[in-house]
Amino acid sequence: MSTTQTSQKTFPFKDPYEWYAVLRRKTPVYRMANGQYMITRYEDAQKLLTHPATSHWGQDAQSQVFMSPTQRHIAQTLYTLSPEADKPYRKQILHQLAARSLRIEEDHIHALSIRLIEDLKKCQTIEFMNDYAHKFTFISIASILGIPPSDVNDLCETARALDGGYINNIDGSSDNAAATEFINYLMSFIVAQRKHPGDGLAGSLVELCKAEQEEDSFILSLLILLFYAGHLNMMNFFGNALLALDRNRNYLAELKARDHVDDADVNELLRYDSPLQFIILYARERIDLNGTKIPGGSQLLVSVGAANRDPERYPDPDRLSPSRSDGHLSFGAGAFRCIGARLALLQGRIGLGNFVHHAANFGIKHELVTWRTTPLVQRGPKILPLTIEWR
Ligand code: HEM
């Protein structure tokens, strides 16, 4: 995403919140050197996310003109999931990720998290991102898609080597070895699903794609997009949440005393440090925002991370407090709100609840923590080493 590459060198990955606070106070609608507008106030962000004159990243033919071929490929696939598109995929995914269907997954997700934790109990130091967050979130989404259990662990290793680089490889043009392996696996999986559709989400999508006469390359990009959205966001959620609990030990103590994690906790952790920091929009026509006239054709970088810490919406925003009402923008807002939000809350509740319950105490080796720098829209630690005492 062209935006993001411009500011990659100077972006404060470790802690962008002070920088956001200054922007929000001084220039809440900030025109960047490359002509994009960064939005940092909650009210403005919410208005734009649901504004009839904005389109969401790539979901407009005009905005696709400025994209590289790979970006255009992603945008075209994303468009088929949009509420406006005349395609059945969004409805199908929403149906399979509805509360009733997820009740079946709940036991699997719980068992997976306990299995991973029991395996880790022989270690007094772990690298939280790979040893728990990556495995838990990747295997969860892979199982929901219907990847056979016998293949999941190998694919999880391949995804580890791919290191979140899903969408750069969505059009199959990459020469990265892990990407080639991942894509080759998915292509053979698609062929198998075409012959005998499984009962996972991928099986039903393949059936719909058959009826819509889509090519295998389209199904491939749809699956890669679901891995990107379902795995990377969730993995980063866990890293950010653990760091947040480490900084807010009273809150951690409260969770331990309660011995479970609720949706309200997950929502507050998402507000406090969102895995998705920016949502990219496109102004279809001139928009007047907070006294600034944004010309039609502009790209808008809605800073969800900044909006979620706006003191006008959330008093004392740098404090974690599960009693806040929902309304954070980490899942977006309006018609385009994340279609995996229910699954994200479920995984967050179970995965974090079990970890907090089984880890009697943990300490973060802060000097060894490193941050993910691509894609810039995503925020999360890359390496998060812990010392840990298990129950
Ligand atoms: C904490 C985890 C997650 C966060 C923060 C998150 C955030 C978001 C946001 C902000 C959007 C909307 C972007 C826009 O307005 O243009 C979105 C869309 C989407 N999300 Fe999530 N997501 C998460 C987890 C998941 C999971 C687990 C899935 C699993 C399937 C998923 C699937 C999707 C898909 C397919 C879309 C695109 C649909 C569309 O274009 O409307 N997400 N997500």
Side-chain angles (χ1 to χ4, degrees):
M1 307 178 187
S2 60
T3 22
T4 43
Q5 276 142 18
T6 334
S7 40
Q8 201 97 32
K9 285 191 200 117
T10 49
F11 192 78
F13 289 101
K14 192 172 168 195
D15 182 2
Y17 292 103
E18 265 181 47
W19 184 68
Y20 291 156
V22 174
L23 270 188
R24 201 173 43 229
R25 257 192 331 267
K26 292 191 175 164
T27 37
V29 183
Y30 174 61
R31 189 173 186 281
M32 294 160 64
N34 62 3
Q36 292 177 323
Y37 287 82
M38 188 184 290
I39 314 308
T40 45
R41 286 183 58 216
Y42 181 93
E43 200 187 319
D44 294 341
Q46 195 190 37
K47 188 171 169 187
L48 288 179
L49 287 171
T50 53
H51 200 292
T54 61
S55 51
H56 289 235
W57 189 83
Q59 302 193 1
D60 184 298
Q62 250 180 301
S63 69
Q64 293 182 13
V65 171
F66 303 104
M67 294 176 183
S68 69
T70 303
Q71 288 175 336
R72 205 168 306 131
H73 195 95
I74 302 164
Q76 283 161 355
T77 306
L78 198 58
Y79 182 70
T80 64
L81 293 179
S82 113
E84 294 164 13
D86 185 22
K87 292 282 180 184
Y89 313 122
R90 184 182 183 90
K91 227 169 149 190
Q92 182 63 31
I93 296 172
L94 279 169
H95 170 70
Q96 286 198 238
L97 299 183
R100 202 156 33 96
S101 320
L102 283 182
R103 232 166 276 140
I104 304 162
E105 298 297 337
E106 193 164 342
D107 288 347
H108 295 151
I109 292 175
H110 177 76
L112 168 66
S113 115
I114 294 295
R115 177 165 64 75
L116 292 172
I117 289 171
E118 290 300 332
D119 276 357
L120 288 174
K121 280 193 173 173
K122 47 187 176 302
C123 310
Q124 282 150 354
T125 58
I126 65 167
E127 198 284 280
F128 181 77
M129 295 313 289
N130 182 47
D131 294 342
Y132 188 66
H134 165 71
K135 289 181 181 164
F136 176 61
T137 58
F138 182 85
I139 298 174
S140 295
I141 187 73
S143 307
I144 285 170
L145 283 167
I147 302 291
S150 53
D151 297 346
V152 162
N153 286 340
D154 284 350
L155 197 62
C156 184
E157 281 307 305
T158 308
R160 171 70 188 156
L162 191 55
D163 195 22
Y166 290 112
I167 50 175
N168 297 336
N169 302 300
I170 201 164
D171 57 0
S173 65
S174 164
D175 53 5
N176 168 306
T180 307
E181 208 176 312
F182 196 75
I183 286 166
N184 286 346
Y185 175 82
L186 286 186
M187 284 309 283
S188 59
F189 172 69
I190 291 166
V191 171
Q193 294 285 307
R194 269 197 191 274
K195 283 193 196 134
H196 305 288
D199 54 9
L201 180 54
S204 58
L205 290 174
V206 167
E207 292 252 81
L208 288 177
C209 286
K210 250 199 228 169
E212 295 284 314
Q213 300 185 329
E214 309 275 15
E215 307 268 334
D216 282 356
S217 61
F218 170 79
I219 309 178
L220 175 71
S221 57
L222 198 54
L223 294 186
I224 292 180
L225 203 60
L226 285 167
F227 272 112
Y228 169 78
H231 173 222
L232 208 54
N233 279 315
M234 277 320 295
M235 180 171 73
N236 286 333
F237 161 78
F238 280 102
N240 295 343
L242 206 76
L243 283 160
L245 292 177
D246 176 60
R247 273 195 298 276
N248 293 268
R249 287 274 165 173
N250 289 345
Y251 187 88
L252 177 62
E254 194 186 314
L255 288 186
K256 280 186 171 294
R258 224 194 301 145
D259 211 18
H260 68 271
V261 166
D262 292 325
D263 279 357
D265 300 305
V266 179
N267 275 317
E268 175 62 355
L269 287 160
L270 280 166
R271 177 199 71 80
Y272 181 83
D273 205 359
S274 177
L276 200 76
Q277 287 280 304
F278 297 100
I279 298 177
I280 303 176
L281 305 179
Y282 174 77
R284 282 198 267 230
E285 56 193 60
R286 195 181 86 168
I287 297 175
D288 292 340
L289 189 70
N290 207 4
T292 305
K293 294 183 192 346
I294 300 175
S298 307
Q299 270 203 7
L300 313 170
L301 210 51
V302 176
S303 171
V304 168
N308 282 343
R309 297 264 193 126
D310 184 345
E312 283 188 25
R313 175 65 174 79
Y314 297 106
D316 198 3
D318 300 331
R319 192 173 59 85
L320 271 178
S321 165
S323 58
R324 295 183 198 276
S325 62
D326 197 1
H328 65 76
L329 299 178
S330 301
F331 289 130
F336 286 84
R337 190 173 184 271
C338 173
I339 53 180
R342 211 184 279 274
L343 171 62
L345 292 178
L346 178 75
Q347 279 189 62
R349 234 170 42 224
I350 295 176
L352 199 62
N354 284 337
F355 192 82
V356 166
H357 172 79
H358 286 272
N361 200 2
F362 68 85
I364 293 178
K365 296 184 186 176
H366 285 282
E367 68 288 1
L368 300 179
V369 174
T370 61
W371 288 84
R372 199 167 271 290
T373 55
T374 55
L376 186 101
V377 291
Q378 286 277 341
R379 169 171 168 75
K382 196 171 162 71
I383 296 184
L384 183 49
L386 307 182
T387 53
I388 193 157
E389 285 167 40
W390 297 104
R391 261 200 196 178

Short mmCIF file of all heavy atoms in Angstrom, two decimals, residues 167-222:
data_model
loop_
_atom_site.label_atom_id
_atom_site.label_comp_id
_atom_site.label_asym_id
_atom_site.label_seq_id
_atom_site.Cartn_x
_atom_site.Cartn_y
_atom_site.Cartn_z
N ILE A 167 -0.43 -11.29 1.70
CA ILE A 167 -1.04 -10.61 0.56
C ILE A 167 -0.05 -10.21 -0.52
O ILE A 167 -0.43 -10.03 -1.65
CB ILE A 167 -1.93 -9.41 0.98
CG1 ILE A 167 -1.19 -8.51 1.93
CG2 ILE A 167 -3.23 -9.86 1.57
CD1 ILE A 167 -1.98 -7.26 2.27
N ASN A 168 1.25 -10.13 -0.18
CA ASN A 168 2.22 -9.85 -1.24
C ASN A 168 2.31 -11.00 -2.22
O ASN A 168 2.86 -10.88 -3.30
CB ASN A 168 3.62 -9.64 -0.64
CG ASN A 168 3.62 -8.44 0.26
OD1 ASN A 168 2.80 -7.56 0.10
ND2 ASN A 168 4.53 -8.43 1.23
N ASN A 169 1.79 -12.15 -1.77
CA ASN A 169 1.93 -13.35 -2.59
C ASN A 169 0.59 -13.83 -3.15
O ASN A 169 0.48 -14.93 -3.65
CB ASN A 169 2.55 -14.46 -1.74
CG ASN A 169 3.89 -14.03 -1.19
OD1 ASN A 169 4.78 -13.72 -1.97
ND2 ASN A 169 4.03 -13.95 0.12
N ILE A 170 -0.40 -12.97 -3.05
CA ILE A 170 -1.77 -13.41 -3.36
C ILE A 170 -1.96 -13.77 -4.84
O ILE A 170 -2.77 -14.60 -5.19
CB ILE A 170 -2.78 -12.33 -2.91
CG1 ILE A 170 -4.17 -12.94 -2.73
CG2 ILE A 170 -2.81 -11.16 -3.87
CD1 ILE A 170 -5.11 -12.06 -1.93
N ASP A 171 -1.19 -13.13 -5.73
CA ASP A 171 -1.38 -13.43 -7.16
C ASP A 171 -0.47 -14.56 -7.64
O ASP A 171 -0.37 -14.84 -8.82
CB ASP A 171 -1.17 -12.17 -8.01
CG ASP A 171 0.20 -11.55 -7.79
OD1 ASP A 171 0.97 -12.10 -6.98
OD2 ASP A 171 0.49 -10.53 -8.42
N GLY A 172 0.21 -15.23 -6.70
CA GLY A 172 1.02 -16.38 -7.05
C GLY A 172 2.30 -16.01 -7.79
O GLY A 172 2.96 -16.89 -8.35
N SER A 173 2.69 -14.74 -7.79
CA SER A 173 3.84 -14.34 -8.61
C SER A 173 5.15 -14.29 -7.81
O SER A 173 6.18 -13.94 -8.35
CB SER A 173 3.58 -12.95 -9.21
OG SER A 173 3.52 -12.00 -8.16
N SER A 174 5.10 -14.63 -6.52
CA SER A 174 6.29 -14.47 -5.69
C SER A 174 7.33 -15.56 -5.95
O SER A 174 7.01 -16.67 -6.35
CB SER A 174 5.86 -14.54 -4.23
OG SER A 174 6.97 -14.77 -3.43
N ASP A 175 8.61 -15.23 -5.69
CA ASP A 175 9.63 -16.28 -5.80
C ASP A 175 10.14 -16.68 -4.42
O ASP A 175 11.15 -17.32 -4.27
CB ASP A 175 10.80 -15.83 -6.71
CG ASP A 175 11.36 -14.49 -6.26
OD1 ASP A 175 10.91 -13.98 -5.21
OD2 ASP A 175 12.24 -13.96 -6.97
N ASN A 176 9.38 -16.31 -3.37
CA ASN A 176 9.73 -16.67 -2.00
C ASN A 176 9.38 -18.15 -1.78
O ASN A 176 8.28 -18.60 -2.12
CB ASN A 176 8.91 -15.73 -1.10
CG ASN A 176 8.93 -16.12 0.35
OD1 ASN A 176 8.60 -17.25 0.70
ND2 ASN A 176 9.29 -15.18 1.20
N ALA A 177 10.34 -18.94 -1.22
CA ALA A 177 10.15 -20.40 -1.13
C ALA A 177 8.94 -20.76 -0.27
O ALA A 177 8.15 -21.64 -0.63
CB ALA A 177 11.41 -21.03 -0.56
N ALA A 178 8.78 -20.06 0.88
CA ALA A 178 7.65 -20.38 1.77
C ALA A 178 6.33 -20.06 1.08
O ALA A 178 5.34 -20.81 1.18
CB ALA A 178 7.76 -19.59 3.07
N ALA A 179 6.32 -18.93 0.32
CA ALA A 179 5.08 -18.54 -0.38
C ALA A 179 4.73 -19.59 -1.43
O ALA A 179 3.57 -19.99 -1.56
CB ALA A 179 5.27 -17.17 -1.02
N THR A 180 5.75 -20.06 -2.14
CA THR A 180 5.50 -21.08 -3.19
C THR A 180 4.92 -22.34 -2.55
O THR A 180 3.96 -22.93 -3.05
CB THR A 180 6.82 -21.40 -3.92
OG1 THR A 180 7.37 -20.16 -4.36
CG2 THR A 180 6.62 -22.31 -5.11
N GLU A 181 5.52 -22.74 -1.42
CA GLU A 181 5.05 -23.95 -0.73
C GLU A 181 3.60 -23.77 -0.27
O GLU A 181 2.77 -24.67 -0.42
CB GLU A 181 5.97 -24.18 0.47
CG GLU A 181 6.08 -25.64 0.87
CD GLU A 181 7.08 -25.79 1.99
OE1 GLU A 181 8.20 -25.22 1.89
OE2 GLU A 181 6.74 -26.45 2.99
N PHE A 182 3.33 -22.59 0.30
CA PHE A 182 1.99 -22.31 0.83
C PHE A 182 0.96 -22.34 -0.32
O PHE A 182 -0.08 -22.98 -0.22
CB PHE A 182 2.00 -20.93 1.51
CG PHE A 182 0.83 -20.68 2.40
CD1 PHE A 182 0.74 -21.30 3.64
CD2 PHE A 182 -0.20 -19.83 2.01
CE1 PHE A 182 -0.35 -21.07 4.47
CE2 PHE A 182 -1.29 -19.60 2.84
CZ PHE A 182 -1.36 -20.22 4.07
N ILE A 183 1.32 -21.67 -1.42
CA ILE A 183 0.40 -21.59 -2.55
C ILE A 183 0.20 -22.97 -3.20
O ILE A 183 -0.92 -23.36 -3.50
CB ILE A 183 0.91 -20.56 -3.58
CG1 ILE A 183 0.69 -19.16 -3.00
CG2 ILE A 183 0.24 -20.70 -4.94
CD1 ILE A 183 1.42 -18.05 -3.71
N ASN A 184 1.32 -23.72 -3.34
CA ASN A 184 1.18 -25.06 -3.93
C ASN A 184 0.26 -25.93 -3.08
O ASN A 184 -0.57 -26.67 -3.60
CB ASN A 184 2.55 -25.75 -4.06
CG ASN A 184 3.35 -25.14 -5.20
OD1 ASN A 184 2.80 -24.41 -6.03
ND2 ASN A 184 4.65 -25.42 -5.24
N TYR A 185 0.43 -25.81 -1.75
CA TYR A 185 -0.44 -26.61 -0.88
C TYR A 185 -1.90 -26.20 -1.10
O TYR A 185 -2.77 -27.05 -1.30
CB TYR A 185 -0.08 -26.45 0.61
CG TYR A 185 -1.09 -27.21 1.43
CD1 TYR A 185 -0.97 -28.59 1.60
CD2 TYR A 185 -2.25 -26.58 1.91
CE1 TYR A 185 -1.95 -29.32 2.26
CE2 TYR A 185 -3.25 -27.30 2.56
CZ TYR A 185 -3.09 -28.66 2.73
OH TYR A 185 -4.07 -29.39 3.36
N LEU A 186 -2.16 -24.89 -1.08
CA LEU A 186 -3.55 -24.44 -1.21
C LEU A 186 -4.15 -24.84 -2.57
O LEU A 186 -5.32 -25.20 -2.64
CB LEU A 186 -3.66 -22.92 -1.01
CG LEU A 186 -3.51 -22.41 0.42
CD1 LEU A 186 -3.79 -20.91 0.49
CD2 LEU A 186 -4.44 -23.12 1.40
N MET A 187 -3.32 -24.80 -3.62
CA MET A 187 -3.85 -25.19 -4.94
C MET A 187 -4.28 -26.66 -4.93
O MET A 187 -5.34 -27.01 -5.44
CB MET A 187 -2.81 -24.95 -6.05
CG MET A 187 -2.63 -23.48 -6.44
SD MET A 187 -4.16 -22.60 -6.82
CE MET A 187 -4.52 -23.20 -8.45
N SER A 188 -3.45 -27.53 -4.30
CA SER A 188 -3.85 -28.94 -4.28
C SER A 188 -5.07 -29.14 -3.36
O SER A 188 -5.94 -29.97 -3.64
CB SER A 188 -2.68 -29.85 -3.88
OG SER A 188 -2.23 -29.48 -2.61
N PHE A 189 -5.12 -28.34 -2.32
CA PHE A 189 -6.29 -28.40 -1.41
C PHE A 189 -7.57 -28.00 -2.17
O PHE A 189 -8.61 -28.65 -2.04
CB PHE A 189 -6.03 -27.46 -0.22
CG PHE A 189 -7.18 -27.25 0.70
CD1 PHE A 189 -7.63 -28.28 1.53
CD2 PHE A 189 -7.83 -26.02 0.77
CE1 PHE A 189 -8.69 -28.09 2.40
CE2 PHE A 189 -8.89 -25.81 1.65
CZ PHE A 189 -9.33 -26.85 2.45
N ILE A 190 -7.45 -26.96 -3.01
CA ILE A 190 -8.62 -26.50 -3.78
C ILE A 190 -9.08 -27.59 -4.75
O ILE A 190 -10.28 -27.89 -4.87
CB ILE A 190 -8.30 -25.18 -4.53
CG1 ILE A 190 -8.12 -24.03 -3.53
CG2 ILE A 190 -9.37 -24.84 -5.56
CD1 ILE A 190 -7.47 -22.76 -4.10
N VAL A 191 -8.10 -28.23 -5.41
CA VAL A 191 -8.46 -29.30 -6.36
C VAL A 191 -9.21 -30.41 -5.61
O VAL A 191 -10.25 -30.90 -6.05
CB VAL A 191 -7.18 -29.85 -7.06
CG1 VAL A 191 -7.49 -31.11 -7.86
CG2 VAL A 191 -6.57 -28.76 -7.94
N ALA A 192 -8.69 -30.78 -4.42
CA ALA A 192 -9.33 -31.84 -3.62
C ALA A 192 -10.72 -31.40 -3.18
O ALA A 192 -11.67 -32.20 -3.21
CB ALA A 192 -8.46 -32.17 -2.41
N GLN A 193 -10.87 -30.14 -2.80
CA GLN A 193 -12.18 -29.65 -2.34
C GLN A 193 -13.18 -29.58 -3.49
O GLN A 193 -14.37 -29.76 -3.30
CB GLN A 193 -12.04 -28.26 -1.70
CG GLN A 193 -11.24 -28.23 -0.42
CD GLN A 193 -12.01 -28.78 0.77
OE1 GLN A 193 -13.11 -28.35 1.07
NE2 GLN A 193 -11.43 -29.75 1.45
N ARG A 194 -12.67 -29.33 -4.70
CA ARG A 194 -13.57 -29.31 -5.87
C ARG A 194 -14.16 -30.71 -6.08
O ARG A 194 -15.33 -30.86 -6.41
CB ARG A 194 -12.80 -28.90 -7.12
CG ARG A 194 -12.81 -27.40 -7.41
CD ARG A 194 -12.41 -27.17 -8.85
NE ARG A 194 -12.15 -25.78 -9.17
CZ ARG A 194 -13.10 -24.91 -9.53
NH1 ARG A 194 -14.36 -25.29 -9.59
NH2 ARG A 194 -12.77 -23.67 -9.84
N LYS A 195 -13.30 -31.74 -5.85
CA LYS A 195 -13.78 -33.12 -6.06
C LYS A 195 -14.70 -33.54 -4.93
O LYS A 195 -15.76 -34.09 -5.14
CB LYS A 195 -12.57 -34.08 -6.13
CG LYS A 195 -11.85 -34.03 -7.46
CD LYS A 195 -10.88 -35.20 -7.57
CE LYS A 195 -9.89 -34.95 -8.69
NZ LYS A 195 -8.53 -35.24 -8.34
N HIS A 196 -14.24 -33.31 -3.69
CA HIS A 196 -15.03 -33.73 -2.52
C HIS A 196 -15.06 -32.57 -1.53
O HIS A 196 -14.20 -32.50 -0.64
CB HIS A 196 -14.39 -34.95 -1.83
CG HIS A 196 -14.17 -36.10 -2.73
ND1 HIS A 196 -15.20 -36.87 -3.20
CD2 HIS A 196 -13.03 -36.60 -3.28
CE1 HIS A 196 -14.71 -37.81 -4.00
NE2 HIS A 196 -13.39 -37.65 -4.06
N PRO A 197 -16.02 -31.65 -1.66
CA PRO A 197 -16.04 -30.50 -0.74
C PRO A 197 -16.17 -30.96 0.71
O PRO A 197 -17.00 -31.80 1.03
CB PRO A 197 -17.30 -29.74 -1.17
CG PRO A 197 -17.66 -30.28 -2.49
CD PRO A 197 -17.12 -31.66 -2.60
N GLY A 198 -15.28 -30.44 1.56
CA GLY A 198 -15.34 -30.78 2.98
C GLY A 198 -16.40 -29.95 3.67
O GLY A 198 -17.06 -29.11 3.04
N ASP A 199 -16.56 -30.18 4.98
CA ASP A 199 -17.61 -29.40 5.66
C ASP A 199 -17.06 -28.14 6.32
O ASP A 199 -17.76 -27.47 7.08
CB ASP A 199 -18.41 -30.27 6.65
CG ASP A 199 -17.50 -30.98 7.63
OD1 ASP A 199 -16.29 -30.64 7.63
OD2 ASP A 199 -17.99 -31.84 8.38
N GLY A 200 -15.80 -27.76 6.02
CA GLY A 200 -15.25 -26.50 6.53
C GLY A 200 -15.70 -25.32 5.67
O GLY A 200 -16.38 -25.49 4.65
N LEU A 201 -15.28 -24.13 6.09
CA LEU A 201 -15.65 -22.92 5.36
C LEU A 201 -15.14 -22.95 3.91
O LEU A 201 -15.84 -22.55 2.98
CB LEU A 201 -15.08 -21.70 6.11
CG LEU A 201 -15.32 -20.32 5.55
CD1 LEU A 201 -16.78 -20.05 5.32
CD2 LEU A 201 -14.74 -19.26 6.50
N ALA A 202 -13.94 -23.49 3.71
CA ALA A 202 -13.38 -23.53 2.34
C ALA A 202 -14.24 -24.41 1.44
O ALA A 202 -14.50 -24.06 0.27
CB ALA A 202 -11.95 -24.04 2.37
N GLY A 203 -14.73 -25.55 1.97
CA GLY A 203 -15.56 -26.46 1.17
C GLY A 203 -16.79 -25.73 0.64
O GLY A 203 -17.12 -25.83 -0.55
N SER A 204 -17.45 -24.98 1.52
CA SER A 204 -18.68 -24.30 1.06
C SER A 204 -18.34 -23.16 0.10
O SER A 204 -19.10 -22.90 -0.84
CB SER A 204 -19.51 -23.82 2.24
OG SER A 204 -18.75 -22.95 3.03
N LEU A 205 -17.19 -22.50 0.31
CA LEU A 205 -16.81 -21.43 -0.63
C LEU A 205 -16.47 -22.02 -2.00
O LEU A 205 -16.83 -21.45 -3.04
CB LEU A 205 -15.64 -20.62 -0.08
CG LEU A 205 -15.96 -19.73 1.14
CD1 LEU A 205 -14.70 -19.08 1.70
CD2 LEU A 205 -16.99 -18.65 0.79
N VAL A 206 -15.79 -23.17 -2.00
CA VAL A 206 -15.46 -23.81 -3.28
C VAL A 206 -16.74 -24.17 -4.04
O VAL A 206 -16.85 -23.96 -5.25
CB VAL A 206 -14.54 -25.05 -3.05
CG1 VAL A 206 -14.45 -25.90 -4.30
CG2 VAL A 206 -13.16 -24.61 -2.60
N GLU A 207 -17.74 -24.68 -3.32
CA GLU A 207 -19.03 -25.02 -3.96
C GLU A 207 -19.67 -23.77 -4.58
O GLU A 207 -20.14 -23.80 -5.71
CB GLU A 207 -19.98 -25.58 -2.90
CG GLU A 207 -19.57 -26.92 -2.36
CD GLU A 207 -20.47 -28.04 -2.84
OE1 GLU A 207 -20.25 -28.49 -3.99
OE2 GLU A 207 -21.37 -28.42 -2.08
N LEU A 208 -19.64 -22.66 -3.82
CA LEU A 208 -20.22 -21.42 -4.35
C LEU A 208 -19.44 -20.94 -5.57
O LEU A 208 -20.01 -20.47 -6.55
CB LEU A 208 -20.21 -20.32 -3.28
CG LEU A 208 -21.20 -20.46 -2.13
CD1 LEU A 208 -20.99 -19.33 -1.12
CD2 LEU A 208 -22.63 -20.40 -2.66
N CYS A 209 -18.11 -21.07 -5.48
CA CYS A 209 -17.26 -20.62 -6.60
C CYS A 209 -17.54 -21.44 -7.85
O CYS A 209 -17.52 -20.91 -8.97
CB CYS A 209 -15.78 -20.73 -6.23
SG CYS A 209 -15.28 -19.45 -5.06
N LYS A 210 -17.82 -22.73 -7.66
CA LYS A 210 -18.16 -23.58 -8.80
C LYS A 210 -19.41 -23.03 -9.47
O LYS A 210 -19.46 -22.84 -10.69
CB LYS A 210 -18.46 -25.00 -8.28
CG LYS A 210 -17.43 -26.05 -8.63
CD LYS A 210 -18.07 -27.40 -8.47
CE LYS A 210 -17.22 -28.36 -7.68
NZ LYS A 210 -17.89 -29.59 -7.30
N ALA A 211 -20.43 -22.76 -8.64
CA ALA A 211 -21.69 -22.25 -9.18
C ALA A 211 -21.49 -20.91 -9.88
O ALA A 211 -22.16 -20.60 -10.86
CB ALA A 211 -22.72 -22.13 -8.06
N GLU A 212 -20.57 -20.11 -9.37
CA GLU A 212 -20.30 -18.78 -9.96
C GLU A 212 -19.29 -18.86 -11.11
O GLU A 212 -18.89 -17.85 -11.66
CB GLU A 212 -19.73 -17.84 -8.89
CG GLU A 212 -20.68 -17.51 -7.76
CD GLU A 212 -21.75 -16.50 -8.16
OE1 GLU A 212 -21.41 -15.49 -8.79
OE2 GLU A 212 -22.93 -16.75 -7.84
N GLN A 213 -18.83 -20.08 -11.40
CA GLN A 213 -17.83 -20.34 -12.46
C GLN A 213 -16.55 -19.53 -12.29
O GLN A 213 -16.04 -18.93 -13.23
CB GLN A 213 -18.45 -20.08 -13.84
CG GLN A 213 -19.64 -20.98 -14.07
CD GLN A 213 -20.21 -20.84 -15.46
OE1 GLN A 213 -20.16 -19.78 -16.06
NE2 GLN A 213 -20.73 -21.93 -15.96
N GLU A 214 -16.06 -19.50 -11.05
CA GLU A 214 -14.80 -18.79 -10.77
C GLU A 214 -13.62 -19.71 -11.07
O GLU A 214 -13.72 -20.93 -10.95
CB GLU A 214 -14.72 -18.40 -9.29
CG GLU A 214 -15.91 -17.67 -8.72
CD GLU A 214 -15.87 -16.17 -8.96
OE1 GLU A 214 -15.06 -15.71 -9.80
OE2 GLU A 214 -16.66 -15.46 -8.30
N GLU A 215 -12.50 -19.07 -11.41
CA GLU A 215 -11.25 -19.82 -11.66
C GLU A 215 -10.64 -20.22 -10.32
O GLU A 215 -10.88 -19.57 -9.29
CB GLU A 215 -10.23 -18.90 -12.34
CG GLU A 215 -10.72 -18.20 -13.58
CD GLU A 215 -10.39 -19.00 -14.82
OE1 GLU A 215 -9.42 -19.77 -14.76
OE2 GLU A 215 -11.11 -18.86 -15.82
N ASP A 216 -9.74 -21.24 -10.35
CA ASP A 216 -9.04 -21.63 -9.12
C ASP A 216 -8.20 -20.48 -8.56
O ASP A 216 -8.02 -20.36 -7.36
CB ASP A 216 -8.12 -22.83 -9.38
CG ASP A 216 -8.91 -24.13 -9.46
OD1 ASP A 216 -10.14 -24.07 -9.22
OD2 ASP A 216 -8.32 -25.17 -9.73
N SER A 217 -7.67 -19.63 -9.46
CA SER A 217 -6.83 -18.52 -8.98
C SER A 217 -7.64 -17.56 -8.10
O SER A 217 -7.13 -16.99 -7.15
CB SER A 217 -6.22 -17.76 -10.16
OG SER A 217 -7.26 -17.22 -10.94
N PHE A 218 -8.95 -17.43 -8.39
CA PHE A 218 -9.80 -16.59 -7.55
C PHE A 218 -9.99 -17.24 -6.17
O PHE A 218 -9.87 -16.59 -5.12
CB PHE A 218 -11.17 -16.35 -8.21
CG PHE A 218 -12.13 -15.69 -7.27
CD1 PHE A 218 -12.06 -14.32 -7.03
CD2 PHE A 218 -13.08 -16.44 -6.57
CE1 PHE A 218 -12.91 -13.71 -6.11
CE2 PHE A 218 -13.93 -15.83 -5.66
CZ PHE A 218 -13.84 -14.46 -5.44
N ILE A 219 -10.25 -18.56 -6.18
CA ILE A 219 -10.47 -19.26 -4.90
C ILE A 219 -9.20 -19.16 -4.06
O ILE A 219 -9.25 -18.92 -2.85
CB ILE A 219 -10.84 -20.75 -5.11
CG1 ILE A 219 -11.98 -20.86 -6.12
CG2 ILE A 219 -11.22 -21.40 -3.80
CD1 ILE A 219 -12.40 -22.30 -6.44
N LEU A 220 -8.06 -19.28 -4.73
CA LEU A 220 -6.78 -19.17 -4.02
C LEU A 220 -6.67 -17.81 -3.33
O LEU A 220 -6.34 -17.73 -2.14
CB LEU A 220 -5.61 -19.35 -5.00
CG LEU A 220 -4.22 -19.14 -4.42
CD1 LEU A 220 -3.85 -20.28 -3.49
CD2 LEU A 220 -3.17 -19.01 -5.53
N SER A 221 -6.98 -16.74 -4.05
CA SER A 221 -6.81 -15.42 -3.43
C SER A 221 -7.83 -15.20 -2.32
O SER A 221 -7.54 -14.56 -1.32
CB SER A 221 -6.82 -14.29 -4.47
OG SER A 221 -7.99 -14.32 -5.20
N LEU A 222 -9.01 -15.81 -2.45
CA LEU A 222 -10.02 -15.71 -1.39
C LEU A 222 -9.50 -16.40 -0.11
O LEU A 222 -9.60 -15.86 1.00
CB LEU A 222 -11.31 -16.40 -1.88
CG LEU A 222 -12.61 -16.10 -1.19
CD1 LEU A 222 -12.88 -14.62 -1.13
CD2 LEU A 222 -13.77 -16.81 -1.90
#
